[in-house]
């Protein structure tokens, strides 16, 4: 997958681009779940392993869909939207529409900094 600034995710990523797109996805996870960089990377890595999807592909799909989530979402809505995105990012192709409502097979963090942030 390659990530283009316009939100399209296609092809193969070179190592520098792969790292950049992983950092973008990691930053989004950090923001939404209130975790540090290591915890965010672990969350992405585990989701990659759970779905048998290369981390760079998962991250590219997450990063490509972030603009469609929108900045006006309140924190709870934003968390729900990103959870849904993480739940379905392994299924995305560059042409797929944003994921819809429905069952969320992805289980967001329930302990540590994320739980403290959520319960605040």
């Amino acid at each position: 997958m390659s990530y283009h600034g316009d939100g399209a995710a296609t092809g193969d990523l070179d190592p520098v681009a792969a790292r950049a797109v992983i950092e973008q996805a990691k930053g989004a996870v950090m923001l939404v779940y209130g975790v540090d960089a290591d915890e965010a990377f672990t969350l992405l890595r585990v989701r990659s392993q759970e779905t048998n999807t290369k981390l760079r592909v998962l991250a590219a799909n997450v990063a490509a869909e972030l603009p469609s989530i929108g900045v006006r979402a309140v924190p709870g809505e934003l968390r729900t939207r990103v959870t849904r995105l993480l739940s379905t990012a392994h299924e995305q192709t560059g042409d797929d529409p944003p994921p819809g409502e429905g069952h969320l097979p992805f289980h967001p963090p329930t302990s540590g900094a994320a739980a403290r942030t959520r319960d605040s």
Side-chain angles (χ1 to χ4, degrees), residues 88-104:
T88 60
H90 67 284
E91 301 170 347
Q92 300 290 320
T93 65
D95 304 327
D96 287 344
E101 300 289 328
H103 176 69
L104 300 176

Side-chain angles (χ1 to χ4, degrees), residues 4 19 24 31 35 49 52-54 59 61-62 71-72 78 86-87 95 99 110-111 116:
H4 305 285
R19 189 68 192 155
Q24 281 187 311
L31 173 67
V35 297
Q49 292 171 346
N52 196 29
T53 305
K54 291 184 181 290
N61 288 334
V62 169
V71 294
R72 291 183 230 179
L78 180 59
L86 286 168
S87 296
D95 304 327
T110 58
S111 63
R116 287 190 299 279

Side-chain angles (χ1 to χ4, degrees), residues 7-84:
T10 57
D12 286 326
L13 284 176
D14 65 70
V16 173
R19 189 68 192 155
V21 79
I22 290 168
E23 290 297 320
Q24 281 187 311
K26 191 169 77 172
V29 170
M30 291 169 64
L31 173 67
V32 172
Y33 295 114
V35 297
D36 65 23
D38 290 337
E39 290 174 301
F41 183 78
T42 297
L43 190 149
L44 290 169
R45 181 182 47 78
V46 167
R47 186 65 187 148
S48 169
Q49 292 171 346
E50 288 174 346
T51 61
N52 196 29
T53 305
K54 291 184 181 290
L55 179 59
R56 67 180 180 269
V57 171
L58 182 80
N61 288 334
V62 169
E65 290 297 325
L66 284 172
S68 72
I69 292 173
V71 294
R72 291 183 230 179
V74 296
E77 292 172 4
L78 180 59
R79 183 183 314 234
T80 299
R81 291 177 182 188
V82 173
T83 297
R84 188 173 302 111

